[in-house]
Amino acid sequence: MNKAWWKEAVVYQVYWRSFFDSNGDGVGDLDGLIMKLDYIKDLGVDVIWLNPMFQSPDKDNGYDISDYYQVMEKAGDMKVVERLINEVHQRGMKLIMDLVVNHTSNQHPWFIESKSSKDNPKRDWYIWKDGVDGKEPNNWRSYFHPTPWEYDQTTNQYYFHSFAVEQPDLNWKNPEVRHEIYQMMRFWLNKGIDGFRMDVINLLAKLEGFPDTETPYNLSYLGNNPGIHEYLQEMNREVLSAYDILTVGEIPFVTPEDGLLYVGENRNELNTLFHFEVADDMKTWDMITFKQIQKRWYEGLNGQGWNSQFLNNHDHTRQVTRYGNDHIYRVQSAKLLATMIHTLPGTPYIYQGEEIGMTGVKFNHIEDYNDIAMKNKYLEEVAKGKDSTQVLKDLQLLSRDNSRTPMQWDNSENAGFSVGKPWIKVNPNYVDINVEADLNSHDSIFKYYKKLIALRKEHDVMVYGDYEDLLEHDDKLYVYSRTLNDITWIIMLNHSDDEVELRLNDMYAQKENTLIITNYADVNEEESLVQIRLRPHEARIYQI
Ligand code: ISL
């Protein structure tokens, strides 16, 4: 396995509109992020992933871009972006941006031209089709709508959108589109950014002919279609290969074997990927499923491709709520989940606020929610005659707004996020869960993350060690090893609310061992590995 800086890095994701508001308009901004860079540096991370801050009508919180070369006014301006890049580099960190090129905003000038007439030179920059018998061209569904086709009166045709109506898909079959995007990518790379997180990059190639699918309304046909690897190999040749950067593809609905086609060391496409098996398969925690997913991906990438490890981001609710225990064992659970993500094979990602154990949120009215995906789903379900209170309740756990509430800096008004009215409600538990409290506590979740990140710098086994699951069928304990040369780490995780006994086989139990880290203060360092009692949500790492 070749070494690389991005394999050894820890990435911190900043959803800037919820991070820190510097001008009191109630929305986080890039000046605010600059003011908090020392906080991020103190954690010890190497890379910041910045969610889209480009010009946008903001229907999907920046994922509907109307100008790739302008900065969204509420985020700042080009001068602030240039200052941000410089300030991040001065602190020895790197910055990757979000590349959103499967679709643009319907307010992008390209789309406005394209929809103006059938013979406009940019008509073929997007995907237009005639209806069939007065209806949509096929029976597919979009991520955010019952159909991915929107009728346009002007030219009596439908255009294709994998997401919201306001997000028309670009036509990647058109070389003019591809070369326009490559030019834009070079513009930002030449400004000094250190790579891209590539938004739903496996959707760029569409199923030829857009045929009806046997199972209407599933989404899997949207991705991994013939042609996608040619596009990414061309993107690599034309742009990526000229820079020493991190490229991480967001690749929903992909198997490990197909995932390897995107990130294989000899594929000349991307460095690494986010797959979504956990988020898609596990609505709540299921230890056995999680272990099977990890095993499948470890075997599927087979030492030739690099994984990324995350449990939450701006689209998926906060891990301690969805997969852990966000009440009596919140602190232990947050530390246990971090131990897992930072010791599994692949680059670990920290979503802002997870380092202080921020939790999901439940708002009582649909008006309190901002997420277009959730609001569209709510309207779709209520239109079917379902009880609106029950629909809201059903959508709350998975609403993306769970992870988009403002960063909780301290216990002052609005959690110290803004002196203005925040664009989305602050989680009321900010009075107890906030950065200031964690910085002032010696065994806080923040301090534990710092230790984990520091361990990665000291111990290559955490990055490059071979992985083996030692208790595949246990539904409470997750115990696995990482081995590099003559160093073996045993990671023990009791992912339950019960005290559980662990018996390791003789191969490990008899050996000398050193306790590397644990999330309970009072562990007896002399305890042998023959028979260990792990308390609720207790995590330990031993070196043997
Ligand atoms: O958020 C989801 C479900 O509610 C995911 O399925 C998500 O839509 C999917 O992973 C793609 O996400 C990316 O593209 C979207 C944008 O809304 C997301 O924020 C972005 O992460 C469209 O650009």
Side-chain angles (χ1 to χ4, degrees):
M1 171 62 77
N2 303 328
K3 291 202 170 193
W5 64 264
W6 41 268
K7 292 180 180 174
E8 299 164 14
V10 176
V11 184
Y12 187 87
Q13 179 190 353
V14 173
Y15 195 67
W16 53 267
R17 67 184 66 224
S18 300
F19 196 59
F20 184 66
D21 170 19
S22 71
N23 62 7
D25 66 355
V27 182
D29 47 55
L30 302 184
D31 272 320
L33 169 51
I34 290 171
M35 291 163 75
K36 296 293 183 181
L37 284 179
D38 289 336
Y39 164 75
I40 297 174
K41 177 65 184 173
D42 180 35
L43 195 52
V45 302
D46 309 282
V47 182
I48 292 173
W49 157 24
L50 184 66
N51 285 99
M53 66 328 132
F54 310 99
Q55 191 69 45
S56 163
D58 233 9
K59 296 289 183 191
D60 185 19
N61 292 14
Y63 283 92
D64 50 316
I65 295 169
S66 55
D67 188 337
Y68 289 102
Y69 294 92
Q70 294 298 321
V71 178
M72 196 189 304
E73 193 182 337
K74 61 179 82 167
D77 58 25
M78 190 58 88
K79 285 236 168 306
V80 175
V81 170
E82 289 163 354
R83 197 154 62 82
L84 172 64
I85 295 169
N86 181 41
E87 294 285 344
V88 167
H89 287 164
Q90 274 188 12
R91 289 167 176 78
M93 297 188 287
K94 294 176 182 288
L95 180 78
I96 67 172
M97 282 189 177
D98 225 309
L99 184 73
V100 187
V101 293
N102 173 68
H103 47 271
T104 67
S105 160
N106 63 347
Q107 303 305 312
H108 196 298
W110 299 343
F111 185 72
I112 290 170
E113 282 191 54
S114 177
K115 77 184 288 236
S116 64
S117 76
K118 284 187 177 175
D119 50 20
N120 181 286
K122 284 198 167 48
R123 185 68 174 183
D124 195 32
W125 281 45
Y126 293 85
I127 299 165
W128 294 91
K129 288 231 168 292
D130 292 330
V132 174
D133 304 331
K135 288 174 55 186
E136 291 82 7
N138 68 17
N139 67 355
W140 299 1
R141 83 153 284 137
S142 109
Y143 271 85
F144 297 165
H145 266 286
T147 170
W149 298 100
E150 179 68 9
Y151 180 69
D152 170 57
Q153 193 86 35
T154 319
T155 58
N156 185 30
Q157 280 196 313
Y158 292 79
Y159 68 83
F160 185 77
H161 58 88
S162 300
F163 292 91
V165 166
E166 297 88 347
Q167 295 171 291
D169 282 44
L170 283 164
N171 173 17
W172 270 73
K173 283 178 80 168
N174 185 337
E176 289 174 13
V177 168
R178 302 202 303 270
H179 289 100
E180 183 71 34
I181 295 299
Y182 300 158
Q183 187 178 319
M184 176 273 289
M185 292 171 71
R186 288 188 204 97
F187 171 84
W188 287 106
L189 287 165
N190 294 339
K191 280 222 174 278
I193 68 168
D194 304 285
F196 294 105
R197 175 267 187 185
M198 299 190 178
D199 190 60
V200 285
I201 203 69
N202 62 322
L203 305 192
L204 302 185
K206 311 307 182 199
L207 211 48
E208 192 55 40
F210 293 87
D212 273 350
T213 51
E214 295 72 54
T215 46
Y217 307 131
N218 81 30
L219 290 167
S220 53
Y221 57 76
L222 276 176
N224 315 311
N225 291 309
I228 183 58
H229 296 295
E230 287 71 15
Y231 293 154
L232 292 179
Q233 285 161 13
E234 180 185 74
M235 182 190 284
N236 189 296
R237 271 196 316 277
E238 295 276 334
V239 185
L240 307 178
S241 53
Y243 301 86
D244 177 19
I245 54 175
L246 163 57
T247 53
V248 50
E250 181 197 31
I251 303 187
F253 300 114
V254 71
T255 64
E257 293 68 27
D258 282 350
L260 185 57
L261 298 177
Y262 291 92
V263 299
E265 306 251 333
N266 60 354
R267 294 283 301 168
N268 300 317
E269 294 188 21
L270 306 179
N271 295 143
T272 182
L273 83 160
F274 297 132
H275 62 77
F276 279 78
E277 282 203 66
V278 173
D280 293 339
D281 293 355
M282 286 172 45
K283 297 308 171 212
T284 52
W285 186 257
D286 171 349
M287 174 61 87
I288 301 288
T289 302
F290 187 78
K291 290 177 176 180
Q292 288 165 346
I293 291 170
Q294 287 301 329
K295 187 168 192 283
R296 260 204 310 272
W297 275 90
Y298 186 67
E299 290 168 355
L301 294 177
N302 189 27
Q304 297 152 50
W306 196 255
N307 203 354
S308 287
Q309 295 289 355
F310 73 102
L311 280 178
N312 50 193
N313 58 28
H314 65 292
D315 290 336
H316 299 290
T317 194
R318 290 193 172 276
Q319 57 191 32
V320 77
T321 296
R322 185 163 170 189
Y323 301 122
N325 179 312
D326 67 357
H327 35 287
I328 51 171
Y329 294 111
R330 182 183 66 85
V331 175
Q332 295 91 333
S333 176
K335 293 176 180 178
L336 177 135
L337 294 172
T339 307
M340 187 173 73
I341 291 299
H342 286 249
T343 55
L344 285 170
T347 299
Y349 283 69
I350 300 169
Y351 177 63
Q352 69 181 45
E354 115 183 26
E355 77 277 12
I356 59 169
M358 277 177 65
T359 69
V361 71
K362 274 199 174 70
F363 295 136
N364 298 322
H365 306 285
I366 188 66
E367 294 74 25
D368 291 334
Y369 285 91
N370 161 278
D371 172 14
I372 189 170
M374 178 191 189
K375 292 169 84 95
N376 284 2
K377 192 70 187 165
Y378 176 85
L379 294 172
E380 194 179 328
E381 295 303 302
V382 168
K384 292 174 187 169
K386 291 184 182 174
D387 170 66
S388 59
T389 310
Q390 188 55 48
V391 170
L392 178 62
K393 203 159 168 291
D394 295 344
L395 293 176
Q396 275 171 339
L397 175 69
L398 298 186
S399 163
R400 302 191 296 180
D401 286 334
N402 275 289
S403 51
R404 298 178 178 184
T405 58
M407 182 73 177
Q408 293 163 198
W409 294 104
D410 55 41
N411 64 4
S412 70
E413 194 188 6
N414 298 330
F417 161 72
S418 169
V419 294
K421 182 177 184 299
W423 68 278
I424 186 171
K425 282 183 177 175
V426 179
N427 190 321
N429 64 20
Y430 76 89
V431 284
D432 301 312
I433 301 174
N434 59 69
V435 166
E436 188 176 58
D438 262 40
L439 292 181
N440 293 334
S441 146
H442 73 281
D443 65 352
S444 63
I445 300 166
F446 180 90
K447 301 287 174 66
Y448 190 85
Y449 266 81
K450 260 190 94 162
K451 284 185 206 157
L452 276 177
I453 295 164
L455 283 174
R456 177 173 290 270
K457 305 273 176 283
E458 295 161 42
H459 301 275
D460 272 356
V461 63
M462 221 169 158
V463 182
Y464 296 108
D466 291 336
Y467 163 84
E468 186 188 352
D469 187 335
L470 304 178
L471 275 185
E472 282 193 44
H473 306 295
D474 194 299
D475 65 355
K476 289 182 179 176
L477 290 176
Y478 191 4
V479 180
Y480 51 95
S481 63
R482 302 290 308 274
T483 301
L484 185 67
N485 305 325
D486 58 350
I487 301 282
T488 292
W489 277 17
I490 309 279
I491 297 92
M492 304 172 180
L493 307 170
N494 173 13
H495 200 101
S496 79
D497 293 349
D498 309 318
E499 183 163 310
V500 182
E501 183 174 283
L502 166 62
R503 289 175 179 278
L504 279 175
N505 73 38
D506 285 352
M507 179 166 80
Y508 296 113
Q510 307 305 332
K511 290 203 172 163
E512 281 295 299
N513 65 77
T514 311
L515 181 63
I516 297 287
I517 191 171
T518 177
N519 65 344
Y520 271 71
D522 52 350
V523 171
N524 166 8
E525 304 228 4
E526 302 313 313
E527 194 174 10
S528 95
L529 301 191
V530 175
Q531 182 183 345
I532 286 184
R533 295 199 68 72
L534 291 171
R535 288 159 288 187
H537 298 276
E538 182 166 5
R540 297 191 202 175
I541 302 179
Y542 284 97
Q543 176 162 318
I544 59 173

